Amino acid sequence: MYGGSLRARLAGQGEGAGSWQLAAEGALELFSVGSGCGGTVSCDDAGTPNIFNASGQDVFTRNWVGALSLPLAWQANRNLQLSLVPAVSFLPGSQGEDQGGAGDFYGTNISLGFGANYRLGNQVELFGSAMLPLGPGNNGFDADLVYSRVPILSAGVSIAVNPRIGLEGSITNGFGLSPATAILALPSAPNEPMLSARFTYNPGAADSPSPRYTARQASLALGGLSVNTALTPASGTSQLWLNGDSLGNLFAGGGYSVSNDFQFQLAAGVFNGIEPRNSYVNTYAGNGDLNLRFGGKAMVYRPSKELPIWAAGRISLGRNEDESSKQGYLFFESMNTWEASPKLAFHLNPKVAWSGGGTSWGVGLAANLQLGERFQLIPELNVIATDLGGDNGSNGSLALRWLASPSTILDLYVSNAAGLVDLGQLLGNDQVRVGARLGFSF
């Protein structure tokens, strides 16, 4: 989907509590719609007709769609803002006319939206909204392709990490992300809630102050193994790492800090030797299948006299790229680091992997003990509450880290975790792995 939107202020009165603003917004977008065989679905497979007609072939169209809205916002008090948004979404009423016959689609929808935003502090805001479709079209269809009008409900939290970085997490049954498609519910399951995450980056905005790490803290910012640290490398820092073990896991990854409080991350590799295996493991971490992950790590709290911890959040998305799977999952962890002394740090990391096939979650516990100038001992434990990977989801690791230089590390470890990357941290293994992880920072 491609498109653009414009917003203009029409009227307003005052600032602060009791003020109000009225605006107009318009959007024009190119909306691609596809259904049927083709792509990863073979046309020779039985039972793969498209949802628009009985041709049994692929239907693919490009549609110009749009939206108009009049958002009205009222600042009820210093922390609470309420909004009312009448809108109309212009969507096609049919698809596939020249590709086997026209079939039902959403059509034009008039809607009325209600929203509330509540500030918990300078950086954290809670929000909730409801969009009520009034017709004449529809905004959802079920597994039997019966179209209907479904309220779009959303609730979540947004975090202003700093003026440059913003994060948002929510639960919603809304499927569309653009002004014209925001009224749409999840296809085939219009009432099913989904997790949603959003990242905003304003490169021209001011950054938070440099963390001014000590040499010890800079080494903690190089990360952990199966339990990460909350410290984030300074803006402009790049990181690369390579990992392999005795049971055949091979992974590589990197990160780049676009802010003193945020790092983009990318990882790729293959899982191997995970035992026991079941349908969940085969789907998301198949033997030898390429796994791709992309995400980011944001520091949200630095030590203070009231609370002497570093706190951060990390989210990643990706999938098993094997043709028999093509399934993905969302991974989130909250990282909390406490420096008990100049030589000893502890980490507490709740973490969860969410997918349509099941949700696995647990808590990571770890320590980092400085052994002289160049070595660190890192014991880690992941206590898993919901085991989808076998009979023993909880796992532990023990690593010896060599600080070859301020920017180069070598970890030698033993572990019964299925792997060091995301889902691997939440799966136990019947066999013990011996592995190495090499990391660079520049």
Side-chain angles (χ1 to χ4, degrees):
M1 171 170 281
Y2 304 92
S5 64
L6 292 174
R7 174 178 286 203
R9 180 175 179 271
L10 298 181
Q13 186 177 53
E15 294 182 358
S19 64
W20 61 274
Q21 305 287 332
L22 176 65
E25 182 175 21
L28 182 64
E29 306 161 17
L30 185 60
F31 183 26
S32 297
V33 177
S35 177
C37 59
T40 60
V41 181
S42 170
C43 292
D44 296 328
D45 293 342
T48 58
N50 66 71
I51 66 173
F52 302 115
N53 56 51
S55 67
Q57 300 298 308
D58 183 38
V59 168
F60 182 84
T61 62
R62 296 185 186 276
N63 310 267
W64 285 106
V65 299
L68 293 173
S69 64
L70 293 171
L72 173 64
W74 175 51
Q75 193 71 39
N77 57 46
R78 181 177 181 272
N79 296 321
L80 177 63
Q81 184 183 74
L82 303 175
S83 58
L84 176 68
V85 186
V88 57
S89 300
F90 302 98
L91 298 167
S94 65
Q95 297 284 284
E97 181 176 357
D98 299 324
Q99 301 177 56
D104 290 339
F105 204 52
Y106 298 110
T108 296
N109 259 290
I110 298 172
S111 64
L112 189 61
F114 304 89
N117 295 67
Y118 185 80
R119 289 198 339 164
L120 291 179
N122 292 331
Q123 292 180 277
V124 181
E125 187 174 82
L126 302 178
F127 65 86
S129 67
M131 297 178 63
L132 307 179
L134 305 176
N138 297 293
N139 70 325
F141 59 86
D142 61 20
D144 296 321
L145 302 182
V146 176
Y147 281 78
S148 62
R149 297 173 196 145
V150 180
I152 302 299
L153 307 176
S154 303
V157 58
S158 61
I159 301 173
V161 178
N162 58 40
R164 186 179 296 184
I165 303 296
L167 302 175
E168 179 183 300
S170 66
I171 183 169
T172 179
N173 66 326
F175 182 70
L177 296 177
S178 68
T181 62
I183 189 66
L184 301 183
L186 179 66
S188 299
N191 293 305
E192 182 174 326
M194 301 180 294
L195 295 178
S196 173
R198 183 176 296 178
F199 167 80
T200 58
Y201 173 49
N202 184 354
D207 197 6
S208 53
S210 173
R212 299 182 183 274
Y213 290 143
T214 64
R216 164 69 173 167
Q217 291 168 343
S219 72
L220 294 176
L222 296 173
L225 285 87
S226 69
V227 179
N228 213 331
T229 69
L231 286 75
T232 303
S235 179
T237 301
S238 297
Q239 288 185 318
L240 296 174
W241 58 267
L242 303 169
N243 167 233
D245 64 42
S246 58
L247 295 184
N249 279 359
L250 290 173
F251 278 88
Y256 180 75
S257 297
V258 297
S259 161
N260 290 319
D261 290 334
F262 190 85
Q263 181 190 51
F264 278 116
Q265 297 179 337
L266 178 68
V270 295
F271 287 105
N272 274 298
I274 304 177
E275 297 294 342
R277 302 199 69 83
N278 58 24
S279 60
Y280 181 84
V281 176
N282 291 336
T283 298
Y284 297 102
N287 269 332
D289 300 345
L290 176 64
N291 281 256
L292 298 177
R293 308 294 300 167
F294 173 78
K297 174 182 177 181
M299 186 188 300
V300 297
Y301 188 84
R302 302 185 186 189
S304 67
K305 293 181 180 180
E306 294 78 18
L307 189 61
I309 68 167
W310 305 85
R314 176 178 172 271
I315 191 168
S316 76
L317 306 167
R319 66 177 66 250
N320 180 353
E321 291 294 333
D322 186 75
E323 290 295 333
S324 65
S325 174
K326 289 293 183 180
Q327 297 299 306
Y329 62 91
L330 172 72
F331 184 88
F332 173 78
E333 62 178 323
S334 170
M335 296 162 284
N336 305 275
T337 296
W338 173 48
E339 291 184 274
S341 75
K343 292 187 177 181
L344 179 62
F346 293 101
H347 315 294
L348 175 66
N349 293 20
K351 56 185 74 176
V352 60
W354 179 87
S355 72
T359 299
S360 182
W361 68 275
V363 177
L365 305 168
N368 183 300
L369 176 63
Q370 192 75 36
L371 303 176
E373 182 180 356
R374 292 297 183 94
F375 291 95
Q376 296 173 346
L377 184 67
I378 306 175
E380 298 177 339
L381 176 65
N382 288 296
V383 181
I384 310 306
T386 52
D387 178 24
L388 297 175
D391 298 327
N392 183 22
S394 297
N395 58 81
S397 305
L398 181 64
L400 180 65
R401 171 168 292 179
W402 174 39
L403 301 170
S405 74
S407 60
T408 304
I409 60 171
L410 175 62
D411 297 325
L412 301 177
Y413 66 90
V414 293
S415 175
N416 72 327
L420 303 183
V421 177
D422 292 358
L423 187 62
Q425 303 170 13
L426 297 172
L427 299 174
N429 207 68
D430 280 354
Q431 303 179 67
V432 174
R433 300 170 183 269
V434 179
R437 183 178 181 272
L438 181 63
F440 306 94
S441 181
F442 53 93

